Amino acid sequence: MKKIKLMSHLIAGYPDKETALIVARSLVAGGADILEIQLPFSDPSADGPAIQTACTKVLENGYKTSQGLEFISEVHKEFPSVTIYLMSYGSLIYTPGVENFCKKAHEAGVSGMIIPDFPFDFDEGLTECCRKYEMINIPVAAPSMSRERLSKMAHSGFPFIYAALRTGITGTQTKIDESTKDFLKRVSEGGSKVYGGFGISSGEQSKALADSVEAIVAGSVFVRIITEYQNDKTLLAKKIEEKARELCGM
């Protein structure tokens, strides 16, 4: 059976640097093709309870953006052939200056940026700065977008678009049906490759989605595993790798 391409989400510094590195290694061992590494943020608009709680715990430890970039750099040096996308929110990018941030992200080994609260057509120069520093900006499409706006995004020339498979927050169960596949067709109609995520937690879901996307995206499922097994690093590594393999159809 053909392997399903997986973009796996993890939070820099959760629950601590050592454990986060174990998670990154286990995801790669389990077949993850892309690591979507989130910089913790205090008021995330798209994240469900599992990721919000994890971000809060990291920030309570005084975690800084610079530490997140250092973590990304460390992961990139260990796995130079694994694509790393940085996910966060606009204020973390805008406050230090978009170009300044993009330069630092590029130097850390980031290949692309996913900033869900930056509109694709009013992104404070993010797409341009990503291009300058050999990265890509990956906008987020949602089913709640009007057909006209979704069509505009789809025909804007983005190499990749992240398709949130339903309206709302990450982490709750997503049903893959004909309306999901119709939405994905509309996202890809301009030629962009599509990453599909939000609430993907089982091999059954990823198989149902695989033919419609470039890669499936899973995040909250891994955060829940980390939260449950963080005190047993050996078992944690095993559970993360097993779940990644399941989602990859391996």
Side-chain angles (χ1 to χ4, degrees):
M1 183 178 173
K2 184 183 175 185
K3 178 189 174 296
I4 299 167
K5 197 168 183 180
L6 171 65
M7 182 200 298
S8 54
H9 177 284
L10 68 153
I11 299 163
Y14 181 70
D16 53 62
K17 180 184 174 183
E18 178 197 355
T19 309
L21 282 170
I22 289 169
V23 170
R25 289 168 186 146
S26 302
L27 289 168
V28 173
D33 305 273
I34 302 164
L35 296 178
E36 179 194 11
I37 301 180
Q38 177 169 352
L39 298 184
F41 188 67
S42 58
D43 188 25
S45 57
D47 296 325
I51 292 177
Q52 281 192 34
T53 301
C55 283
T56 298
K57 289 188 175 178
V58 176
L59 292 170
E60 283 173 351
N61 294 331
Y63 202 78
K64 301 286 191 292
T65 297
S66 58
Q67 290 172 276
L69 290 170
E70 285 168 14
F71 173 78
I72 289 171
S73 179
E74 198 164 332
V75 173
H76 175 63
K77 284 172 184 170
E78 188 166 341
F79 302 105
S81 64
V82 175
T83 299
I84 295 176
Y85 293 151
L86 183 153
M87 183 265 166
S88 197
Y89 290 89
S91 65
L92 280 186
I93 315 304
Y94 184 78
T95 303
V98 174
E99 180 165 353
N100 179 45
F101 189 93
C102 284
K103 182 175 184 290
K104 289 180 178 177
H106 167 68
E107 289 169 352
V110 171
S111 295
M113 306 276 282
I114 302 171
I115 313 298
D117 56 345
F118 270 0
F120 74 93
D121 51 356
F122 196 75
D123 65 6
E124 305 294 345
L126 179 61
T127 299
E128 184 182 336
C129 288
C130 282
R131 196 175 293 123
K132 180 175 179 179
Y133 291 102
E134 301 174 326
M135 300 186 295
I136 53 172
N137 177 30
I138 304 167
V140 178
S144 57
M145 295 172 75
S146 69
R147 283 185 173 264
E148 294 76 18
R149 185 157 179 78
L150 181 58
S151 180
K152 184 181 177 185
M153 177 189 281
H155 291 90
S156 290
F158 292 102
F160 298 93
I161 295 174
Y162 183 130
L165 299 179
R166 55 176 168 70
T167 303
I169 56 174
T170 62
T172 52
Q173 191 77 1
T174 295
K175 183 181 177 184
I176 311 299
D177 55 21
E178 286 309 309
S179 65
T180 308
K181 293 180 180 180
D182 178 62
F183 168 62
L184 291 168
K185 281 179 185 173
R186 285 186 279 124
V187 175
S188 65
E189 69 182 14
S192 302
K193 293 182 178 179
V194 179
Y195 299 127
F198 262 51
I200 302 301
S201 60
S202 72
E204 184 181 358
Q205 286 174 302
S206 63
K207 284 170 190 167
L209 192 58
D211 290 340
S212 301
V213 296
E214 170 71 11
I216 64 122
V217 186
S220 294
V221 62
F222 292 118
V223 175
R224 288 193 289 267
I225 292 170
I226 296 165
T227 302
E228 184 174 355
Y229 296 102
Q230 60 185 297
N231 295 322
D232 185 335
K233 303 292 191 288
T234 303
L235 189 55
L236 170 63
K238 180 174 180 285
K239 292 288 185 181
I240 291 284
E241 183 175 341
E242 283 176 352
K243 180 54 72 172
R245 287 183 179 279
E246 177 191 337
L247 294 170
C248 289
M250 294 166 65

